[in-house]
Amino acid sequence: MSEPLAESEPRTTIRLLDGFVLEHGPTPLHVIPGARRLLALLAVRQAPVSRAVVAAMLWPEATTRRAAACLRSTLWRLAKPGAPLVEPTEDALRLGAAVDVDFHRACRLAATAAEAGTPDPGAVALLKADLLPGWSDQWLAAEQDWWHEARLRALEALSTRFRSAGDRHRAHQAALAAVQSDPLRESAHRTLVELHLDDGNPAQAVRQYRSYRSRLRAELGLEPSPEIHRLVGPLLGGRA
């Protein structure tokens, strides 16, 4: 008689999109602030980082010796699920190989958003989320800015792919997510206007255009480009 299959070990997951969460299987784990920042740094970098650099980035106001001591204390106090969260590599640290990170999957989706084929139906949910919103760490700012732009471009590309595949519902979802993330992004508004026109909803297309135009005027004192105006110009009788 064959032996019963052993239950697989629960996966450890770090979520960086829409806020930090550490989970072992379905169970959230408590993480002290210093350890949270350490895990986030290693997860965002996706490569080994020297101990000295980690200490300097996480404790920039401390002396070199004090920052190194803080790093040692944080490593000792890390939560200990089934697999190691941090692995040492010579004089560097990296995230444990068995740890899943939602941001990594989102980056892969963003990189392939414009490729041919059927888009991942779950892509919009990941790409509409900010990277660690509310965190103001200096080491994170450039990554947040990069991700903001990368995901907006990916959402627009996904909207085009869903539209080409005949999935208008998800095409609208992707374009709307881009508009909600950056209400002044004209290319995202233009995509929504085109979708409304394709759906035979000229009134909705005009409302989308006017909403964008009003906000652009109020916040920046600018006018929409001729390109987006041409889409609705015939519906407005040529009026700007």
Side-chain angles (χ1 to χ4, degrees), residues 25-185:
T27 306
L29 300 178
H30 173 70
V31 188
I32 62 172
R36 193 180 307 147
R37 292 165 66 232
L38 170 61
L39 292 173
L41 170 60
L42 297 178
V44 167
R45 287 303 178 96
Q46 303 189 43
V49 186
S50 77
R51 287 175 178 263
V53 170
V54 170
M57 294 177 80
L58 295 184
W59 294 276
E61 304 301 325
T63 64
T64 301
R65 179 175 295 182
R66 178 60 182 163
C70 290
L71 177 58
R72 288 194 299 271
S73 175
T74 299
L75 288 168
W76 182 78
R77 299 175 66 187
L78 268 177
K80 296 175 176 61
L85 292 172
V86 176
E87 298 174 351
T89 61
E90 297 183 359
D91 193 34
L93 299 172
R94 69 180 179 190
L95 199 66
V99 180
D100 291 330
V101 181
D102 63 346
F103 180 58
H104 296 177
R105 179 172 177 241
C107 287
R108 291 193 294 269
L109 288 172
T112 60
E115 293 182 359
T118 303
D120 185 336
V124 174
L126 279 176
L127 293 173
K128 71 180 182 180
D130 284 320
L131 174 62
L132 295 171
W135 287 39
S136 56
D137 300 62
Q138 186 175 355
W139 61 266
L140 183 61
E143 299 288 351
Q144 289 172 321
D145 290 343
W146 171 83
W147 174 242
H148 181 74
E149 182 62 27
R151 69 184 184 82
L152 288 176
R153 290 182 180 276
L155 285 168
E156 291 177 359
L158 279 176
S159 181
T160 299
R161 284 177 64 191
F162 281 126
R163 179 181 174 188
S164 299
D167 190 341
R168 295 186 180 278
H169 173 68
R170 288 196 173 93
H172 275 275
Q173 280 186 326
L176 184 59
V179 166
Q180 290 171 339
S181 297
D182 189 347
L184 297 178
R185 189 176 179 87

